[in-house]
Amino acid sequence: MPTLVNLTILNGAGLVGRLEGSPVYVPTDEPGRALDVQFEASEVLWPWSGYLALYIRVRPDDALLEATAHGEVRLTVVSAPGPGEKEDRRSDIVVPLTVPIIPTPPRKKRILWDQYHSIAYPPAYIPRDDLTTRQDILDWHGDHPYNNFHGMLDHLRERGYYLEILGSPLTCFNASQYGALLIVDSEEEFYKEEIQKLRQDVDLSGLGLIVFADWYDLETMKGVRFYDDNTRSWWEAATGGANVPALNDLLQPFGIGLGGPVLEGTMELPGGESVALQSGTAVMAAPQGAWLYTATTPGVKGKGPGVATAALALLRSGMGTVSVFGDSNCLDSSHQKAACWGLLDGLLAFAGGEPEGLSHADGALGQAHGSLAGLPARNPDYDFKLVSRVLTEPLRCYPNGAAGLPGALPIPGPRPGPEPRKGDGGSETLDSRLRDVAAQANASAEAGEGEASKHYVRQHPSLLPAISTGYSNAALGLAVAGVALLMALILARRRSAKGAVLPPKTRSLGGISGARRRSVTNVAS
């Protein structure tokens, strides 16, 4: 998978701008020529800003390279002339890029994280994963290895694993390159083609499938509805902590099913490790030959003997393995009571084919556990199409999928020659309508004629879709900038009252922020 880096383009030269042609990556040393860098950017920089995404890969013929690559990303931002100007305003920008490259790791050390099947808030109301937490009612921390699962990512790196992130459907990766696929706290549905491919990936390609689910109970979902003062409407939960009915569709070919009431308790593992289930779901079905581990749940009102409920299932299927645990809170730092790194290590060892550990020889089921009949149903009162890409969009790969598939990036070619690669040139002038709108908007903004600017944009409705694409991207940044400006004014007034000398007014210049140094694994896909 490509490594993704997002840059924010801040264009102080004009309210509306654009990139001239495509950005260009220029290697500045020999290892830099091993990189393949593709770009995706805002069509219109409005208001004052836009995004630039970098997809960074190592070329297939450099799979064994270990070096630090250096290069530059070059781009030109063009804005409309200001008041009294006749020529477009141009800003030539150079962003240095340093990328450590390592040889391709062994397959069993490579883990793929499924991000595509996580539904974010907003717009969906996804309830919290830990129902015992009262201060958070929403699952809004990102559910990403760089956010609330960063502790898990740190642990995996310390153990010598390499985690890659899949932002496309499960049909968009090559299972022969990964030892395990992690599906954690997923809320999205699955395409039928994904279910069929995953069965083949496990049975024929030897993939280890690891699933961490969460609670799902229709009555509990009705109980977490709330009245939102901002929208003045009742918000209904789109699903539970995880979309268990969708996970059951994915696991049904392996004979595993999840369900039951919200599960809280403690599970004991070989070696003495205790794993807490904060708000999970039970394993309701598992085939003969699987390994089951039970969690002890509290008795009635916390008194009396506890009840043993199946919470973890492990299965060897064909050449691969399947592991399913009913709760993801032990991986999630948002409301984590205790980490379950030992459990994660054991599941990865099981996926890697290690015979000992969780899959002890004398613990396999002699007969099937439970039944796939009577598993939880989807909420009939909620239109899941309102929040689901799977139910509303055709199956396709995105640029962050495996190279060469339809919709993904093409397979990188061999190293370029010693001469720097040049861009496609792009268009040389602004579209006449965009030029007029941008010039008027810039002039109005600088002259304080906000209403005139709005009126002029209304006269060109065909430009509104392009302009609106940058609105959500810039709105948060403008809000933060507004708060910072307000705080600065308050501090300035306090200092002025004490006789301090205020600094002279300055004018911001365009620039780029957000670049990060990242390591890239040599992957031929």
Side-chain angles (χ1 to χ4, degrees), residues 119-459:
I119 298 181
Y121 166 87
Y125 166 33
I126 304 297
R128 61 195 183 276
D129 297 324
D130 183 5
L131 293 172
T132 63
T133 300
R134 302 303 179 190
Q135 65 269 28
D136 269 345
I137 61 174
L138 301 171
D139 185 16
W140 58 356
H141 293 166
D143 286 348
H144 192 283
Y146 298 163
N147 296 335
N148 50 314
F149 286 98
H150 201 289
M152 177 205 71
L153 176 61
D154 291 341
H155 173 78
L156 291 176
R157 291 175 64 114
E158 291 172 358
R159 300 287 290 179
Y161 290 100
Y162 298 85
L163 186 74
E164 298 178 40
I165 299 172
L166 176 64
S168 293
L170 301 180
T171 55
C172 302
F173 77 98
N174 184 348
S176 65
Q177 296 180 345
Y178 300 94
L181 169 68
L182 274 174
I183 300 179
V184 180
D185 188 17
S186 64
E187 297 94 6
E188 181 62 276
E189 295 286 332
F190 293 90
Y191 293 101
K192 291 182 180 179
E193 294 86 348
E194 291 182 285
I195 298 173
Q196 296 169 358
K197 176 182 179 292
L198 192 59
R199 176 65 186 271
Q200 296 176 356
D201 288 343
V202 172
D203 288 354
L204 303 181
S205 298
L207 180 69
L209 171 61
I210 300 176
V211 175
F212 280 78
D214 275 302
W215 68 270
Y216 184 93
D217 181 73
L218 290 177
E219 290 302 317
T220 304
M221 289 163 56
K222 293 178 182 178
V224 296
R225 70 194 296 261
F226 71 95
Y227 186 79
D228 180 60
D229 291 330
N230 295 317
T231 60
R232 298 190 177 278
S233 62
W234 284 97
W235 282 31
E236 307 284 347
T239 185
N243 190 341
V244 168
L247 286 174
N248 283 337
D249 289 345
L250 189 72
L251 297 172
Q252 186 272 335
F254 304 103
I256 298 176
L258 301 170
V262 179
L263 182 62
E264 298 179 28
T266 303
M267 181 179 69
E268 300 293 333
L269 295 178
E273 182 185 4
S274 242
V275 179
L277 285 91
Q278 296 173 216
S279 297
T281 189
V283 177
M284 302 296 292
Q288 180 181 356
W291 289 265
L292 276 187
Y293 286 86
T294 59
T296 302
T297 61
V300 179
K301 295 183 179 181
K303 300 179 180 180
V307 178
T309 306
L312 171 64
L314 294 88
L315 174 69
R316 296 192 187 278
S317 180
M319 298 175 61
T321 63
V322 180
S323 306
V324 182
F325 183 57
D327 192 7
S328 73
N329 282 289
C330 62
L331 300 179
D332 186 347
S333 61
S334 295
H335 310 293
Q336 187 183 68
K337 293 181 179 177
C340 57
W341 307 143
L343 171 62
L344 180 60
D345 291 343
L347 298 182
L348 290 171
F350 178 63
E354 296 184 18
E356 309 242 336
L358 297 175
S359 57
H360 48 89
D362 58 348
L365 293 175
Q367 59 183 9
H369 163 75
S371 170
L372 294 175
L375 297 178
R378 290 168 173 83
N379 186 358
D381 300 324
Y382 190 92
D383 184 6
F384 206 70
K385 291 182 179 179
L386 297 174
V387 299
S388 171
R389 286 185 293 180
V390 171
L391 298 181
T392 56
E393 298 179 6
L395 175 65
R396 55 159 294 193
C397 297
Y398 295 88
N400 52 23
L405 296 174
L409 297 174
I411 297 175
R415 281 194 184 193
E419 292 296 325
R421 291 171 290 155
K422 297 182 179 180
D424 58 10
S427 57
E428 294 298 329
T429 60
L430 286 168
D431 179 89
S432 58
R433 293 177 301 158
L434 180 58
R435 177 194 295 274
D436 293 341
V437 172
Q440 289 284 343
N442 285 336
S444 299
E446 295 193 13
E449 300 172 1
E451 291 302 320
S453 176
K454 294 178 182 177
H455 175 71
Y456 196 86
V457 172
R458 291 192 196 104
Q459 292 179 332

Side-chain angles (χ1 to χ4, degrees), residues 36 38 57 403-405 408-413 525:
D36 174 78
Q38 304 292 329
R57 300 177 296 177
L405 296 174
L409 297 174
I411 297 175
S525 64

